[in-house]
Amino acid sequence: MLNLLRQVSVTVAVTLAVSFVFTPQLTLAKSGFPADIDMLNLTELPVTMTDQGGKLLLSDSPEMVEDDGIMYQDTVSGDIRLFFHHVNATKELKKIVLLLVNDSDIATDVVVNQYGLGGPGLDYLAVGKTAEMNYLKQAESELIEVPAKGTALLEPILNKTVVPPDALVNGIYDFQSKIPIKVVIMMLPVDADPATFAATASVLPNTNHRLRGTFSGRDRILVPSQVYNSAQDGVMAITLADNKLDTYVNGIDATDGSKTLNYGNYGVMYKLFLPTAFEKNYSLYLNPRGGAYAGGMNVKYRHQEEYTIGTPADKLFFGNKKDNEVAHLGDYAGGQSLWLTFSPPGASSLPVKIVLAPATKNK
């Protein structure tokens, strides 16, 4: 996402037959977070991290796609997540397509469990936020039939979507396949047939950032090793995606067999459980540490209340002006079950901190 961060000021709207528009679902009150808190020196709440789930396919190199071809491909089975993030860096209209190729003699069904799509658009932060918000809010499964020795589109709408020059498309797709299936992410002319094009297309060269590959453990489960007590512990933080306290995942670029590192853990779904002391209410905040940030967060509270909020909820992005900018994630009663789910959003800067503090009001 490094090239995109230099272009986040572009806000020209692109009018297309298909559009994905971010609409905040919940506007939170002013946080009341103390302005004199030193974000750089907060005490860390120790957590245990466990990677689980199936494979993560990451396709973000080349990020700026200058030629027709295959950005990434691999043959996988089981539980799969695909995160792709590409810009049409040509001067022509293109399309970016996700193709499933079944090389076996047996037809198979691919089940899409959850997905989110953003773009095409020139405001890259808006595209990344849209993809994440759509993913977190979507819960309906879809079935895709892939014939023996045949192909199918993972997202048919992309084959009908024109991507203008300099526009970004970002998507997150969770799906299952019982047999090995080849997943191909490619850019091609708008009038080209995806299956015909893929049969002769070349894999585009990797870039210096090398942000593509196949990784094990698409989900990261985080559980603090101590119960948070707001009255005793005060303000604490959990730092994510900094490659120190929370390391980046390692994988293999299936196109050439080289080792690769997921800088930023894009596509990794973080699931954080927070054990807290009874009758000790607390507040939660998100603090971006790397710069401009625009994403979403799923909250599951007391096993019954579940909703998705924008981070931030009251504007597109934050984090590019001062170190102590926060998005208020809510006030909660201590001792009640709380899960937070999010993933580093496309085009945003990492790392981030989840900040816990004494409640600003009773819950």
Side-chain angles (χ1 to χ4, degrees):
M1 311 334 179
L2 299 179
N3 290 335
L4 299 188
L5 298 180
R6 291 190 283 270
Q7 303 184 48
V8 297
S9 61
V10 179
T11 56
V12 180
V14 178
T15 302
L16 298 170
V18 180
S19 63
F20 306 91
V21 181
F22 165 70
T23 302
Q25 298 299 303
L26 178 64
T27 300
L28 298 174
K30 291 185 180 298
S31 69
F33 191 79
D36 58 348
I37 294 295
D38 184 0
M39 287 291 189
L40 293 177
N41 293 298
L42 290 180
T43 301
E44 287 285 327
L45 182 63
V47 297
T48 298
M49 301 184 183
T50 304
D51 291 340
Q52 66 177 33
K55 299 288 187 182
L56 166 64
L57 273 60
L58 174 65
S59 183
D60 188 35
S61 180
E63 180 181 41
M64 315 300 291
V65 188
E66 299 178 349
D67 297 293
D68 293 334
I70 296 170
M71 286 83 85
Y72 190 63
Q73 64 180 8
D74 194 6
T75 300
V76 288
S77 61
D79 294 327
I80 305 154
R81 175 174 301 129
L82 169 64
F83 182 98
F84 69 98
H85 186 274
H86 295 288
V87 172
N88 173 11
T90 74
K91 297 184 182 301
E92 302 175 353
L93 299 176
K94 297 291 182 180
K95 59 184 178 182
I96 294 174
V97 174
L98 316 174
L99 188 69
L100 302 174
V101 181
N102 180 8
D103 290 325
S104 77
D105 296 322
I106 305 172
T108 188
D109 291 331
V110 170
V111 180
V112 181
N113 306 113
Q114 196 164 358
Y115 63 91
L117 182 62
L122 299 178
D123 188 331
Y124 299 156
L125 285 171
V127 171
K129 188 169 189 174
T130 298
E132 177 150 299
M133 292 290 286
N134 286 343
Y135 173 91
L136 292 172
K137 292 186 293 183
Q138 194 277 337
E140 296 183 1
S141 297
E142 296 184 2
L143 186 67
I144 301 173
E145 298 181 4
V146 190
K149 300 295 184 181
T151 66
L153 295 168
L154 178 60
E155 178 51 88
I157 201 170
L158 287 175
N159 194 39
K160 302 177 182 179
T161 301
V162 174
V163 182
D166 300 321
L168 166 69
V169 181
N170 178 209
I172 313 167
Y173 284 75
D174 288 0
F175 55 98
Q176 296 173 316
S177 177
K178 293 182 179 179
I179 68 171
I181 199 95
K182 182 187 289 185
V183 183
V184 185
I185 304 94
M186 54 191 178
M187 189 172 79
L188 59 163
V190 294
D191 58 350
D193 174 72
T196 302
F197 179 84
T200 59
S202 300
V203 176
L204 298 174
N206 212 334
T207 62
N208 291 336
H209 301 308
R210 300 185 59 78
L211 203 54
R212 74 182 184 192
T214 301
F215 305 84
S216 297
R218 64 181 191 175
D219 297 328
R220 181 160 285 185
I221 311 301
L222 290 78
V223 179
S225 53
Q226 71 181 58
V227 174
Y228 172 71
N229 184 320
S230 61
Q232 297 178 4
D233 299 330
V235 182
M236 302 187 76
I238 300 172
T239 301
L240 303 176
D242 67 337
N243 204 30
K244 295 178 182 177
L245 296 171
D246 176 32
T247 57
Y248 298 152
V249 292
N250 292 281
I252 298 294
D253 183 341
T255 65
D256 61 13
S258 63
K259 294 181 180 180
T260 186
L261 186 66
N262 184 347
Y263 294 93
N265 280 349
Y266 294 100
V268 174
M269 201 59 56
Y270 285 81
K271 300 181 179 183
L272 170 63
F273 176 72
L274 286 175
T276 54
F278 280 98
E279 300 181 356
K280 305 299 181 184
N281 297 346
Y282 63 101
S283 300
L284 288 177
Y285 306 88
L286 182 73
N287 170 236
R289 302 306 313 160
Y293 185 95
M297 182 84 66
N298 181 266
V299 180
K300 188 172 184 179
Y301 182 48
R302 290 173 169 157
H303 303 289
Q304 295 179 338
E305 302 172 36
E306 188 166 4
Y307 50 90
T308 301
I309 59 177
T311 50
D314 57 347
K315 54 188 175 182
L316 173 60
F317 69 95
F318 71 136
N320 63 329
K321 293 182 179 180
K322 51 187 178 180
D323 289 338
N324 64 344
E325 281 192 279
V326 296
H328 187 204
L329 304 178
D331 301 296
Y332 301 96
Q336 302 298 316
S337 174
L338 180 70
W339 284 90
L340 303 178
T341 302
F342 91 107
S343 186
S348 287
S349 300
L350 281 298
V352 296
K353 288 180 182 288
I354 303 292
V355 181
L356 303 89
T360 58
K361 60 182 179 180
N362 291 328
K363 181 67 175 176

